[in-house]
Amino acid sequence: MSHFQTACRYGVVFALLVGFAVAEEKPLTPKQAASTMQLPEGFRVSVFAAEPDLVQPISFTTDDRGRLWVVQCLSYPYWTDDKDQQNNDSVVIFEDKDGDGVFDSRKVFLEGASCLTGIEVGFGGVWLTTAPNFLFIPDANRDDVPDGPAQILLDGFTLEAKHNVVNGLRWGPDGWLYGRHGITATSNIGKPGADESQRIKMNCGVWRYHPVRHQFEVVANGTTNPWGLDFNEYGAMFITNCVINHLFHITPGGHYKRMHGQDFNAHAYQLIAGCADHIHWGGGKWTESRGGGGIHDKPGGGHAHSGAMIYQGDNWPEVYRGNLFTLNLHGRRANQEHLHRKGAGYVAHHGEDFLFSQDPWFRGVEMKYGPDGGVYLSDWHDTGECHHYKDPQKATGRIYKITYGKPRHTNVDLWKLPQADLLALQGHKNEWFVRHARRILHERAAANKDADTIKRLEQRFAQAGSEVERLRELWLLHLHDGLGERGFGLEDEYEHVRAWAIRLELEDRRANDAVLETLVAMARQDVSPVVRLALASGLQRLPVEQRWNIATELAGHAEDAEDANLPLMIWYGIEPAISQDRIQATKMLTRAKMPLLRQFIARRIAAGTKE
């Protein structure tokens, strides 16, 4: 079906295209570009902000008032930390006070910066990825004016990665701040002044940073150029990968297929594939997919993707809830993915593409929903894409807002709410409220630990009826340091609660004897592959000598032999122990009921220290 037929079916007014010829060297005005967008019936699009008020929106987030904090990146594509070369990047705050989908006020929070690629707000300030650094700018009084100079939390992010540069920030349900990194160059990350032994190497994958403990970790290695990350209602993490395999379900400790190069662990032997059962381009030379037509139209428009949004708002129709949306750079559209459980993980099926733009300059970067459930979509707006190094546009950029019908608008400021109201928001249908309220509660807990609050949260957990409700209460207990080392939630009736209880129990990389005994029993008898995946992932957070019993029990599940995740995650967890204890390795080899795992154990035993 052609784009025009799709537009007619959806009842989108398309006549504007007949009235003028679109010359690629001359962009459409923002309103013209918005009018060409094809959307399902009942949806409308407004121009929230555009040039000259907005240029080059590489990243954005929302604060507790629903305002947009937008990173304007004019550094691209010439990344440098030479302050004499460029200092044109900025952070701008946009607010829509009357809910009409168009901003009413604009403030500049930061200017004179360079290499800005990611932003989040919380814990009394603003967090920014700005290679070679990861920064925090304090604004404790929330007056939109920095309280002082930027604090360098981490350095060593490479400037050689070009369009694969460190990017993106997103608060996770566990209270960590998650970010991404591409493949073309390796970073050597650590706190300022750290020596080589204290630094962590990373090229492609996902990382995280704890805002209270100030710890940095690599979550997973691999993919190519991740430029989108979101969590579903169960806390499962998904990233969109800019090229080829466009979608990955990420398990902490995983090693994922790369476009090229060698995984840091030479003994990984095999890497986990993406979770989509399709690709979005028709083959041939990737340059031929520009425009998304021909053989590339039906599969999805092309192989380059940016942004990841799992819609969990309350404005769009229910049919879209839980689906993942990503922006197709060459296809000038938003792809839609249906996420389905398969074994321990997920498989993504290609849903009907959600949005088409007829603007030749349209380069969608990011989608996020706000407090009214409407979705903001940022458009880099240029004639090229990530390989466009010659004469990139510096004076264009748009953010559109996509709503269904007329959304309910209420001015909000969650920071001002008392604790009881924030707790009540954990039951809100719009995940925007849940996430922001949870982060504020985490901030308050970090400043003032309260035993009575923990008791109250335990009661809420016990009274929660659904799996999602119990998960939200479990995450809150963790953020209030209410789980301790007592194995809380390990015997819960819901599989995702048990899985997250394992993950949170092992966050501090230790477990007492009672918990270890429980984990071994779970590895032997838990009926859920999701729980077994959490146990396999958790192996890497235990001392190697404590991994054997759990790993051996997991390896005995013949029903998991063909699972896309479990054999490999068990392998990644047990591999470092093989060379330390060949007797245990041999015992595990004889008991394992997964052919791939037996093969890898035998190979590693035979290799000894040679590989």
Side-chain angles (χ1 to χ4, degrees):
M1 180 177 292
S2 71
H3 291 177
F4 182 80
Q5 290 171 318
T6 303
C8 290
R9 185 178 67 179
Y10 286 150
V12 177
V13 177
F14 202 67
L16 180 62
L17 289 182
V18 181
F20 56 83
V22 177
E24 188 160 307
E25 66 273 9
K26 184 178 181 180
L28 301 182
T29 68
K31 287 186 177 180
Q32 287 173 337
S35 69
T36 74
M37 287 187 179
Q38 305 167 31
L39 288 160
E41 186 175 355
F43 285 88
R44 63 180 292 268
V45 58
S46 62
V47 180
F48 178 81
E51 68 271 8
D53 301 298
L54 171 73
V55 295
Q56 303 296 270
I58 199 169
S59 181
F60 72 92
T61 189
T62 58
D63 66 10
D64 302 326
R65 295 164 55 181
R67 302 181 304 172
L68 266 63
W69 292 62
V70 185
V71 168
Q72 299 187 129
C73 177
L74 279 76
S75 296
Y76 178 84
Y78 306 111
W79 308 115
T80 176
D81 58 352
D82 186 344
K83 300 306 179 185
D84 294 328
Q85 294 295 316
Q86 57 180 357
N87 296 282
N88 298 317
D89 295 359
S90 59
V91 175
V92 183
I93 308 168
F94 292 95
E95 183 175 11
D96 174 11
K97 298 179 181 179
D98 56 10
D100 64 352
V102 180
F103 85 92
D104 300 307
S105 70
R106 178 185 187 273
K107 295 181 182 178
V108 177
F109 175 79
L110 176 71
E111 53 189 348
S114 62
C115 305
L116 293 181
T117 56
I119 185 170
E120 259 300 356
V121 177
F123 286 86
V126 180
W127 310 74
L128 295 164
T129 52
T130 167
N133 302 320
F134 173 50
L135 302 180
F136 176 75
I137 300 178
D139 181 21
N141 60 4
R142 304 172 71 244
D143 66 352
D144 305 330
V145 178
D147 295 342
Q151 303 168 12
I152 300 177
L153 304 175
L154 299 169
D155 61 20
F157 287 103
T158 178
L159 287 158
E160 302 301 318
K162 297 184 178 180
H163 55 276
N164 282 240
V165 70
V166 60
N167 71 89
L169 294 170
R170 169 85 74 167
W171 292 110
D174 51 9
W176 290 70
L177 190 54
Y178 285 75
R180 310 178 296 264
H181 195 297
I183 198 171
T184 54
T186 298
S187 293
N188 199 23
I189 307 159
K191 295 181 179 180
D195 61 31
E196 188 69 20
S197 65
Q198 298 171 310
R199 293 186 174 272
I200 299 174
K201 293 188 181 300
M202 182 180 189
N203 45 43
C204 50
V206 178
W207 55 273
R208 67 178 187 171
Y209 186 88
H210 199 279
V212 179
R213 299 195 296 268
H214 296 287
Q215 296 172 338
F216 169 82
E217 294 182 353
V218 173
V219 177
N221 286 285
T223 76
T224 303
N225 186 17
W227 206 277
L229 184 154
D230 203 356
F231 301 87
N232 72 2
E233 62 181 346
Y234 301 114
M237 187 195 324
F238 296 85
I239 64 168
T240 47
N241 190 43
C242 189
V243 293
I244 313 300
N245 297 305
H246 63 278
L247 187 62
F248 288 81
H249 165 224
I250 298 295
T251 300
H255 296 258
Y256 294 87
K257 283 192 174 180
R258 307 161 56 96
M259 188 174 184
H260 55 74
Q262 171 66 46
D263 189 274
F264 284 124
N265 182 1
H267 305 299
Y269 295 158
Q270 184 173 316
L271 306 178
I272 301 173
C275 67
D277 63 359
H278 59 283
I279 57 176
H280 286 146
W281 69 311
K285 294 181 179 179
W286 70 266
T287 53
E288 296 173 354
S289 68
R290 287 172 170 154
I295 62 171
H296 305 289
D297 184 33
K298 186 176 180 180
H303 79 284
H305 306 79
S306 182
M309 177 191 73
I310 299 175
Y311 187 75
Q312 298 173 80
D314 58 354
N315 170 250
W316 288 12
E318 195 68 19
V319 68
Y320 297 105
R321 188 173 183 86
N323 294 346
L324 185 144
F325 297 81
T326 183
L327 292 156
N328 195 294
L329 293 175
H330 295 151
R332 302 175 194 154
R333 67 187 73 185
N335 299 130
Q336 181 178 189
E337 303 289 330
H338 296 292
L339 304 175
H340 296 281
R341 273 281 304 280
K342 184 178 181 182
Y346 290 81
V347 60
H349 305 307
H350 185 199
E352 190 169 13
D353 291 339
F354 175 75
L355 172 151
F356 296 92
S357 171
Q358 296 297 324
D359 179 2
W361 285 36
F362 178 78
R363 298 293 181 269
V365 177
E366 201 161 15
M367 298 175 73
K368 291 182 178 179
Y369 51 91
D372 66 359
V375 171
Y376 298 95
L377 185 160
S378 59
D379 175 10
W380 182 254
H381 205 68
D382 204 337
T383 57
E385 72 293 279
C386 55
H387 295 276
H388 185 48
Y389 296 134
K390 184 178 180 180
D391 192 29
Q393 300 299 315
K394 299 292 187 181
T396 55
R398 290 95 187 263
I399 291 180
Y400 303 99
K401 188 174 183 183
I402 303 167
T403 54
Y404 184 80
K406 185 173 177 58
R408 297 184 303 273
H409 173 71
T410 303
N411 290 316
V412 297
D413 190 348
L414 301 193
W415 180 260
K416 294 180 178 179
L417 296 181
Q419 183 188 59
D421 290 352
L422 294 172
L423 289 172
L425 287 176
Q426 294 307 293
H428 205 289
K429 183 178 180 180
N430 186 346
E431 181 75 9
W432 184 91
F433 286 93
V434 178
R435 293 180 179 184
H436 280 264
R438 180 167 58 227
R439 198 212 68 249
I440 294 171
L441 287 166
H442 186 195
E443 292 185 39
R444 294 180 183 178
N448 182 25
K449 292 181 172 57
D450 181 2
D452 290 337
T453 299
I454 292 175
K455 291 180 181 179
R456 190 177 307 117
L457 291 173
E458 288 177 346
Q459 293 172 353
R460 288 173 57 88
F461 176 85
Q463 294 167 0
S466 72
E467 187 167 20
V468 171
E469 290 172 346
R470 290 173 79 82
L471 271 174
R472 291 174 176 177
E473 300 302 330
L474 182 74
W475 290 326
L476 278 182
L477 266 168
H478 168 67
L479 299 179
H480 285 74
D481 293 331
L483 299 182
E485 295 186 17
R486 51 192 175 130
F488 191 95
L490 293 178
E491 298 181 358
D492 195 82
E493 62 178 303
Y494 292 113
E495 60 177 344
H496 288 98
V497 175
R498 298 196 302 277
W500 266 100
I502 293 165
R503 183 167 165 179
L504 299 176
E505 175 66 43
L506 298 179
E507 186 165 282
D508 60 0
R509 299 184 180 274
R510 65 173 185 265
N512 60 40
D513 291 343
V515 168
L516 277 175
E517 185 177 340
T518 300
L519 297 181
V520 172
M522 294 176 76
R524 181 188 316 116
Q525 63 195 25
D526 200 295
V527 298
S528 169
V530 171
V531 173
R532 296 196 291 273
L533 182 61
L535 288 164
S537 172
L539 290 173
Q540 297 181 53
R541 303 194 73 86
L542 288 169
V544 291
E545 64 273 10
Q546 292 183 345
R547 302 180 188 184
W548 288 111
N549 291 339
I550 297 172
T552 301
E553 295 293 352
L554 289 173
H557 287 273
E559 67 271 30
D560 295 333
E562 301 301 320
D563 190 88
N565 298 278
L566 272 164
L568 291 174
M569 287 302 301
I570 296 169
W571 171 245
Y572 303 149
I574 204 62
E575 181 275 322
I578 300 292
S579 60
Q580 296 188 21
D581 194 333
R582 290 195 174 190
I583 295 176
Q584 286 282 7
T586 303
K587 289 181 180 179
M588 184 174 174
L589 176 62
T590 60
R591 292 187 56 184
K593 296 181 180 179
M594 301 178 184
L596 187 68
L597 198 53
R598 290 200 302 269
Q599 173 189 334
F600 288 171
I601 294 172
R603 176 179 171 181
R604 187 70 182 90
I605 291 174
T609 59
K610 295 179 181 179
E611 284 193 3

